[in-house]
Amino acid sequence: MNILVINCGSSSLKFQLIDAHSEQLIAKGLCERIGIEGSQITYAPAGGKKLETVTPMKDHTDAIRLVLDALTGKESGVVKNLDEIGAVGHRIVHGGESFAASTVITDEVIEAIESCNDLAPLHNPANLIGIEACRKLMPETPMVAVFDTAFHQTMPEEAYLYGIPYEYYEKYKVRRYGFHGTSHSYVSRQAAGLLGKDYEDLKLIVCHLGNGASVSAVKNGKCVDTSMGLTPLEGLIMGTRSGDLDPAIIEFLCKKEEKSVGEILGELNKKSGVLGLSGGFSSDFRDLEAEFHKDSEFAVRTMKAFAYRVAKYIGAYTAAMNGVDAVCFTAGLGENSGFIREKICAYLGYLGITLDPEANGVRGQELDITTPESRTRVLVIPTNEELAIARETYALVK
Ligand code: ADP
């Protein structure tokens, strides 16, 4: 069965068509600037030529219509007709406390997702638009919602509650939810496979280090803690997000800079993290790594602060699980930068970790990067959120 995976943002839409049996990618692409002048669709059949077409898309229904046309087109199409798309898997950012697992989309599910809109005002409404557009164009095709938050719903109360009046949790569900759940779930399962051990019998720490970054603690196959919170702003220092800070800083800066809470929050989301710490130099770790090697002061302080924060979380989660069998690195930076993995692991001597420098230099494959003597394993596991969504979707509709 072919599964269409849709990841819908407010003005963009990423898609992949995946064969659920062979788990091979059939085609993928991206619609950009939806509803804005200069809309463009990029479409790439696996092994074929990438096509970029500038064409108007007034809304997401137009975008999905173009995606379906591309997939079924005469020349570069990969399926004969829409009947060859067995199901659609939608990435949904926030499932609140309503969803601890993926679910087949019904009217009730759409209502429940809508009720989480307050918790992710930028993302959930866009995700819902994607669902509605697919329903219009493929009314008979089953659809599944796969939530970024679901994997983390197994966290115990002591991990998800904040130290604020309990009534705020009761009234508004203010608590830790966590994100990147599809990636943390996929990577931790792959790690068990790579280690040749039972998933239910392992203590794993997953470091998803991309533009957005988060760490999770996975004990006996269940997430027991994660670094992102009510929103993706908490936790690690990220590309442009601050991560953890003293909440009093917000009022302090509002007064000093004569800015509103909204303005400061905008800065914490878009102008902070490594971009902010490097004095506005770049949010891309590749740029900073290059400057680090030139001993640029701004790059040294930024990379040190980034690595230190990750190491601090690894320490906290080792304590939370009373040990750790393997630390896993994934996403753009975690998968590709041996430099940053080494910087982080330099703090982990107490876990008896010894990296194998040669293995740490390899890219693009699942690998144990420690020496045989290392007491704790360190793994690189390329994440594949689309495949994880296709697997979840197939499991529910087959
Ligand atoms: P997201 O999905 O959150 O946008 P990704 O997982 O694609 O992010 O990660 C993107 C980030 O990964 C880039 O901003 C870049 O800093 C980092 N990255 C990618 N390749 C490398 C590399 N070879 N070395 C260091 N950093 C890299």
Side-chain angles (χ1 to χ4, degrees):
M1 181 192 288
N2 298 328
I3 310 280
L4 179 61
V5 176
I6 300 269
N7 182 354
C8 209
S10 55
S11 68
S12 71
L13 184 157
K14 290 189 209 151
F15 64 94
Q16 285 196 5
L17 188 67
I18 295 173
D19 178 338
H21 296 286
S22 66
E23 300 201 332
Q24 292 299 308
L25 175 75
I26 302 171
K28 68 174 183 177
L30 165 71
C31 299
E32 292 165 285
R33 301 180 63 85
I34 301 168
I36 308 171
E37 188 133 349
S39 326
Q40 168 169 320
I41 176 169
T42 307
Y43 168 74
K49 205 168 138 249
K50 185 155 104 178
L51 299 169
E52 286 176 5
T53 318
V54 177
T55 176
M57 296 174 215
K58 73 173 183 316
D59 55 24
H60 288 73
T61 309
D62 274 359
I64 291 184
R65 194 177 288 119
L66 286 164
V67 170
L68 298 178
D69 286 349
L71 291 170
T72 55
K74 266 209 186 77
E75 277 179 19
S76 55
V78 285
V79 290
K80 277 198 225 75
N81 54 49
L82 293 186
D83 293 344
E84 290 186 21
I85 298 175
V88 183
H90 290 270
R91 177 195 178 204
I92 309 293
V93 167
H94 220 307
E97 287 190 326
S98 309
F99 299 102
S102 304
T103 182
V104 173
I105 295 173
T106 60
D107 290 339
E108 292 73 39
V109 167
I110 290 179
E111 264 175 45
I113 297 172
E114 270 166 359
S115 73
C116 301
N117 279 3
D118 266 2
L119 294 169
L122 295 179
H123 295 100
N124 269 29
N127 301 157
L128 283 162
I129 289 171
I131 294 178
E132 286 305 336
C134 283
R135 277 189 142 191
K136 237 188 249 172
L137 298 170
M138 321 163 76
E140 303 303 325
T141 310
M143 291 198 249
V144 169
V146 180
F147 300 91
D148 267 20
T149 48
F151 181 63
H152 304 301
Q153 278 295 304
T154 49
M155 276 187 287
E157 205 177 43
E158 60 269 31
Y160 72 68
L161 284 180
Y162 289 115
I164 58 174
Y166 189 65
E167 63 177 293
Y168 293 146
Y169 169 63
E170 291 178 305
K171 280 204 284 197
Y172 310 120
K173 299 286 172 212
V174 173
R175 51 159 285 177
R176 174 181 312 286
Y177 290 95
F179 298 86
H180 294 140
T182 314
S183 177
H184 287 287
S185 161
Y186 174 84
V187 169
S188 54
R189 274 172 213 280
Q190 293 295 114
L194 184 62
L195 293 167
K197 297 236 168 90
D198 195 351
Y199 188 46
E200 271 78 40
D201 202 21
L202 280 168
K203 294 171 182 173
L204 301 166
I205 294 175
V206 178
C207 306
H208 176 111
L209 310 179
N211 234 328
S214 64
V215 191
S216 68
V218 183
K219 188 179 180 185
N220 305 335
K222 290 200 166 71
C223 176
V224 293
D225 207 345
T226 191
S227 60
M228 283 178 166
L230 176 78
T231 75
L233 188 54
E234 194 181 348
L236 300 179
I237 293 172
M238 310 181 209
T240 64
R241 295 189 201 123
S242 63
D244 297 338
L245 47 77
D246 177 349
I249 289 172
I250 297 178
E251 192 202 16
F252 182 87
L253 287 177
C254 283
K255 284 188 179 152
K256 291 279 181 202
E257 292 274 306
E258 296 181 8
K259 287 179 175 161
S260 66
V261 170
E263 283 173 296
I264 296 295
L265 273 176
E267 291 183 2
L268 295 179
N269 270 297
K270 298 205 168 113
K271 296 200 169 149
S272 300
V274 299
L275 174 67
L277 262 180
S278 66
F281 175 72
S282 178
S283 65
D284 195 303
F285 290 90
R286 281 164 290 204
D287 301 339
L288 283 155
E289 210 174 302
E291 287 297 319
F292 184 97
H293 295 305
K294 292 184 211 155
D295 284 333
S296 299
E297 195 198 322
F298 69 84
V300 172
R301 69 165 179 253
T302 303
M303 296 307 260
K304 275 188 172 170
F306 175 84
Y308 176 71
R309 181 78 58 90
V310 179
K312 212 158 93 164
Y313 266 98
I314 293 172
Y317 290 169
T318 302
M321 296 192 289
N322 190 21
V324 58
D325 296 303
V327 176
C328 314
F329 287 100
T330 194
L333 178 68
E335 288 167 27
N336 293 304
S337 175
F339 166 80
I340 205 71
R341 291 192 296 259
E342 192 197 308
K343 283 265 164 295
I344 294 166
C345 290
Y347 287 99
L348 308 180
Y350 65 97
L351 291 175
I353 285 175
T354 45
L355 285 188
D356 173 345
E358 201 177 312
N360 190 33
V362 176
R363 270 162 62 172
Q365 67 184 73
E366 285 186 7
L367 202 64
D368 183 339
I369 57 168
T370 44
T371 62
E373 304 77 52
S374 187
R375 191 150 49 80
T376 306
R377 316 313 315 166
V378 179
L379 310 177
V380 176
I381 313 260
T383 194
N384 192 338
E385 290 168 275
E386 289 78 13
L387 175 58
I389 293 172
R391 281 181 183 169
E392 295 268 316
T393 303
Y394 182 58
L396 285 171
V397 302
K398 71 179 174 199

